[in-house]
Amino acid sequence: MAKSLGPVKRKFSPWTDPNAVPFIRFENITKRFGDFVAVDNLTLDIYEREFFSLLGPSGCGKTTLMRMLAGFEEPTEGRILLQGQDISGVPPYRRPTNMMFQSYALFPHMSVEKNIAFGLEQDNMPKGEITARVQEMLKLVKLEQFAKRKPNQLSGGQRQRVALARSLAKRPKVLLLDEPLGALDKKLREETQFELMDLQQTLGMTFLIVTHDQEEAMTVSDRIAVMDKGVIMQVATPAEIYEAPNSRYVADFIGDINIIEGKVADTASALGAPGAVKIETEGLSITVDQECQAVKGDHVAFAIRPEKVRISPDAPADPSVNAFYGEVWDIGYLGDFSLFIVRSEDGRFMRAAQANVSRLVDRPITFEDKVWLTWPRDAGLVLTR
Amino acid sequence: MRSPRFDTTVLTLGFAFLYIPIIILVVYSFNASRLVTVWGGFSLHWYSAMWSNQGLMDAAWVTARVGVLSATLGTILGTLAALALTRFARFPGRMAFSGMIYAPLVMPEVITGLSLLLLFVAMGVDRGFWTVTIAHTTFTMCYVAIVVQSRLLTFDRSLEEAALDLGCPPVKTFFKITLPLIFPAVIAGWMLAFTLSLDDLVIASFNTGPGATTLPIKIYSQVRLGVTPEINAICTILIGLVTIGVIASSLTTKRAEIRRIRDEHLAIRNAAS
Amino acid sequence: MATVAETNPAPHSAKGTGGHSWTRWLVVAVPYIWLILFFVAPFLIIFKISLSDTAIAMPPYLPTFDGFGSIGEFFSELDFENYIFLTDDPLYIMSYLSSLRIAAISTILLLLIGYPMALAMARAPTSIRPTLVMLVILPFWTSFLIRVYAWIGILKPDGLLTLALQTIGLMGEGEQVQIFRTDYAVFIGIVYSYLPFMVLPLYAALEKMDNTLLEAASDLGCPPWKAFWKITFPLSLPGVIAGSMICFIPITGEFVIPDLLGGADTLMIGKTLWTEFFGNRDWPLASAVAVILLVMLVVPIMIFQNQQKKVV
């Protein structure tokens, strides 16, 4: 059986098909505000029925990119294609995209049903059809009994649903969601994430979501684009982003990770396993099984997630396994996990996470214990960028 | 310096200073005696005298027409100016434009009045109702622009973007979304413009002509001849009108406030259930 | 400035409501043209006329404005006679100086009265603050003229102030308050009329001040009176400047108050201008008076504009 990176969510991967035609294409897009470059020569394809996330810290250009698709900003350079059509210069009110705003932007002087009907009225849809569609939308977001309410008579979660219903009512080709769950509390946010995924599956629509919340992006998306300073660092599935980040930036941005800088000491042939790399740094030597562009003498980084590091008071039986010896410097108890920060004799730190699988532990590891951190050769990876 | 007693004293004295003259004025409009210092008993005599003073009534009618017309024009122009200032970051001469909006607020009225008059003379326009109206429109529009601008600055732009996004063209968006939401500020601007027009003596004096004597001009010419209770009566009516207007508008905002609080409670209950 | 483009979706974005270029153009152009026509053009004309000769016939000045084609001819007819006249007659110089003096003293008086009021309002419980603001604004809505008029009845020698002082025995039967038609009456009238304009900007500045700043000062050992001068007052300076300019500039050109409450020896330039215009019908001289007044006020007006821009 072939190994895969993490669980497979669904059998949907048009980006791996060389013949697939992208639904949305950002082509060499640059956007400047005065001297500030918000988006820098960016190219990106998004496929039909995809749930796609733009993820990055604030100021990375993700919102600007989305607003260019919606038509609120025009690219300084480059063009945007929707189903092969260049949509540059088409005003926002003529684009087949709809947006759910971060602030929800519900019209405060209109009732819930009026808000939902607003977009349909602009298309001069017959009255009867509007009523039917509004009912359908209210049912979809389970707000039937709130039709006559004004937005300020609703709770935050209900407002979020109205905003969603309003942006879905016109059956847009692409739904744009700008930090859609940012204003909700954690529990509600998690529930809503799954509802959004169901909705997207049922309606068979293309969703583009902008978020700075990595968990949210990981949960909902088919693919994620991690952005920084106007450029895309990596586009991949959530599992690939987590398990095979292509750079120190992505590795560090997503989740918790140990990064150890070092030099390539040896490659492949000498180490037996095909594609293996040996990295050396002061007092530590690490072997990684990985196809890698790096050659001997290159500066690289070794990255490993703390949950893939085993912690034990005993020395490893197999001397060829990667190991790090030190004393417990700090312990973070997180409930489901405990995070151990271990300090080696030469002052280097490494973190290991251990799932708290049982309530009572025979021989707990505590401060100042001498421990061994070990990990197999395929648990971490070498980063050249 | 921080004692509450100090604060209370300051406020009491300050408000007494602001209100006692007005109260005296109102009280003496009901004085039966013509002499200011002698209280001759309660009387509505001066109100009926005022009512039968044709000159005063004509002036009041002119003032009302000038006020409504110039306030309406000033509100339209001022709202456009506020939109231009808040919505368009760059257009040729934007700095000069914002300067033109702020300058009339502090410009001595004698300068504004005289310069406009000279313009009308240079253009060969006969002075009268329309010149006063144009003069009032010009300085009231700046006040309206300031009032509406402050509302637009706190306006959530994403509401307009949402309307555009849902297929509503820009002009329609303004009338369906923006205008209804900034309407209280527009109304406040109109009321301010109307009172300023009602109030103005200097600019109107320069720009008026035959048959367009406004109430302040009339009052001024009578005041120069001395204090008469008839003037007190008309002043009392003006004060009354303004007070009713201000109280009514503050009550509506208070009711809106109460409704808002009730709505929020409702929302919290919804969330809980 | 990365966050500008990100979280506040570009407040200065070129797009947005202005999709149609002609509507955009209209929104800017209509008020712009109106102001150029009725606010800027008059200043050019007043400047031009101030350089014209007085004529006895109507219209009372030469030359009349006859298009831009005759600009050369126009300049040849201009002279500085009116300005020279202004410097020759000490009446005008005295008027200007007196106006500035009265405006400066009034502004200081307004600050001295308005600041404690604004401070007391800002320190009042939050629940009654809107009412207090309303109470300050309300007189502003009632006519300026009416409010000045109200003081005539009080300050007249046989007015209510005399009566009140006689009643409480501070003044003998035969005595009368001799304030009406003096500079004192003008100061009272100005302070009374302009107080709301001074209190509101001061209140706005004081109200938004963080109360924990004073707590921090107190915690660090600074006594309240010292904290006022070291913390409160410096932070309220923008309000002080705004309020002072809003009052000082129009007071300098004030006409109604010195005319109704002041005496024959109360010199103010607004009154002089009015007399030149309506009394002597010397329009060019009145224009010259206005131009010089405007020149004097350019600096305060620029300070005011600057302040407003910072607030917005």
Side-chain angles (χ1 to χ4, degrees), chain B residues 195-233:
Chain B
T195 1
L196 286 167
S197 167
L198 216 66
D199 208 16
D200 168 65
L201 165 69
V202 176
I203 294 175
S205 294
F206 277 101
N207 291 288
T208 189
T213 304
T214 64
L215 202 51
I217 298 177
K218 195 83 193 168
I219 293 175
Y220 173 70
S221 65
Q222 297 214 359
V223 165
R224 288 192 59 107
L225 301 175
V227 173
T228 67
E230 212 172 323
I231 297 292
N232 283 33

Side-chain angles (χ1 to χ4, degrees), chain A residues 251-306:
Chain A
D252 201 31
F253 186 73
I254 309 283
D256 193 6
I257 200 156
N258 294 297
I259 291 183
I260 296 165
E261 297 290 335
K263 247 183 195 172
V264 177
D266 216 343
T267 50
S269 49
L271 297 165
V277 180
K278 185 171 184 176
I279 303 170
E280 267 184 354
T281 141
E282 273 175 67
L284 194 63
S285 164
I286 301 163
T287 311
V288 189
D289 281 349
Q290 187 191 349
E291 293 285 352
C292 183
Q293 303 294 321
V295 295
K296 193 170 170 179
D298 279 359
H299 277 284
V300 294
F302 170 71
I304 185 162
R305 303 276 178 201

Side-chain angles (χ1 to χ4, degrees), chain B residues 237-258:
Chain B
I237 289 184
L238 285 175
I239 293 170
L241 285 177
V242 168
T243 312
I244 289 168
V246 171
I247 290 175
S249 75
S250 79
L251 280 184
T252 20
T253 41
K254 192 152 269 172
R255 261 183 44 201
E257 182 80 352
I258 290 167

